[in-house]
Amino acid sequence: MYKRILIAVGLLLMLAGIFGFSYMYSYDHRTAESLSAYCRIDFQSSHTESGALEGAVLTIWDSRYGTEKLLPQAVLYTDGTAWEMVATIKQLPPPGETDPSNRFKNENKLFCELPKASLKAVRNADEVRVRYYYEDGQTIDLPLNAPDLEYWKAQLQ
């Protein structure tokens, strides 16, 4: 009797572990149609006191269950033209220390300054894509959706 209960509990724990692992794996390898659907992004431009465009920065927050870190590089594509960017990265410890509902996720933050030469290309682009990399070889390469592209263009006027 106890042996059957022990076997049932063991099988139940194995199934729970398998489903939990598959959920975490599928979340870390999720698909999306646009960059803002995949992760949280922020785009800000800076202007001089006279109102001239000075530069722009892109910040990406990508949460995942895996502990892989971002690589400090990103590529901006404007209608197929590549603009390589050196990025600053930071991986925060799992937010579960402050938020129990997300205690197993790691938040990866990528911060990069767009090359000045790319600003005019972004203003005139029909498609803008951003590519960034993880140390395990995973590459995230997604376009901006139409509202985000219009927002970026408005920021660069």
Side-chain angles (χ1 to χ4, degrees), residues 22-129:
S22 65
Y23 171 76
M24 290 189 305
Y25 181 84
S26 66
Y27 183 82
D28 286 353
H29 294 85
R30 61 197 179 273
T31 58
E33 296 294 319
S34 68
L35 187 62
S36 60
Y38 184 83
C39 60
R40 189 166 54 110
I41 63 173
D42 183 38
F43 181 80
Q44 295 180 0
S45 61
S46 60
H47 297 82
T48 62
E49 289 181 14
S50 63
L53 182 63
E54 196 172 42
V57 294
L58 171 65
T59 307
I60 295 174
W61 291 269
D62 188 3
S63 297
R64 56 183 44 228
Y65 289 100
T67 58
E68 299 84 14
K69 292 186 178 178
L70 284 168
L71 294 177
Q73 59 191 24
V75 182
L76 175 76
Y77 292 96
T78 55
D79 294 332
T81 304
W83 305 91
E84 296 205 14
M85 302 177 287
V86 176
T88 302
I89 57 167
K90 181 178 184 181
Q91 184 180 50
L92 299 176
E97 295 173 6
T98 57
D99 181 7
S101 66
N102 289 329
R103 69 174 161 250
F104 299 112
K105 285 185 187 175
N106 293 304
E107 183 179 74
N108 297 289
K109 182 178 181 181
L110 180 132
F111 178 83
C112 51
E113 186 173 349
L114 275 66
K116 284 192 178 215
S118 72
L119 300 180
K120 184 177 180 184
V122 170
R123 275 194 306 252
N124 300 325
D126 292 324
E127 181 186 46
V128 173
R129 301 180 68 82

